[in-house]
Amino acid sequence: METDYNFWADLLTTYRSNPDWLKFLWVFLPAALLALAGSGVSRLVRAVVEAKGAASPSPPPSPPKAFRSWHDEHGFLYMEALDELPAAAAAAAPPPLPWEGEEGDGASGDGDIR
């Protein structure tokens, strides 16, 4: 005995025969449940991340204080980052800036750019 039962047709007929307030629940209740489940999952993930300490990122690494560069016999340029200044560079005074001037050259030496 073969029947021509169609689940979707029966569901649609049932939906159409319901009062309007129940149709409203049929449409919006599943979406509301999904939204609540999604927010609950996001709260759970946030709580797990905070419990593991991953919410506070580690500070970024400090930049290198100096670089050393050189060319090899084939002309390739190499650079190396140094965490500390070499002793000779740390002891040497930096060259004067162009607007600082020297004694007797007419510049005031007070930092004014002329």
Side-chain angles (χ1 to χ4, degrees), residues 50-90:
E50 288 175 359
K52 287 189 174 187
S56 58
S58 61
S62 61
K65 297 188 185 326
F67 291 94
R68 182 176 72 149
S69 64
W70 68 94
H71 290 277
D72 66 0
E73 62 273 0
H74 303 292
F76 290 108
L77 175 67
Y78 295 94
M79 290 189 87
E80 178 183 16
L82 303 174
D83 290 333
E84 295 185 14
L85 290 173

Side-chain angles (χ1 to χ4, degrees), residues 14-71:
T14 305
Y15 175 75
R16 286 183 178 176
S17 65
N18 285 328
D20 288 340
W21 66 270
L22 196 54
K23 289 178 187 176
F24 177 81
L25 289 179
W26 275 57
V27 172
F28 291 106
L29 191 62
L33 290 175
L34 285 175
L36 286 175
S39 68
V41 169
S42 67
R43 282 190 206 140
L44 177 65
V45 168
R46 190 177 314 124
V48 168
V49 167
E50 288 175 359
K52 287 189 174 187
S56 58
S58 61
S62 61
K65 297 188 185 326
F67 291 94
R68 182 176 72 149
S69 64
W70 68 94
H71 290 277

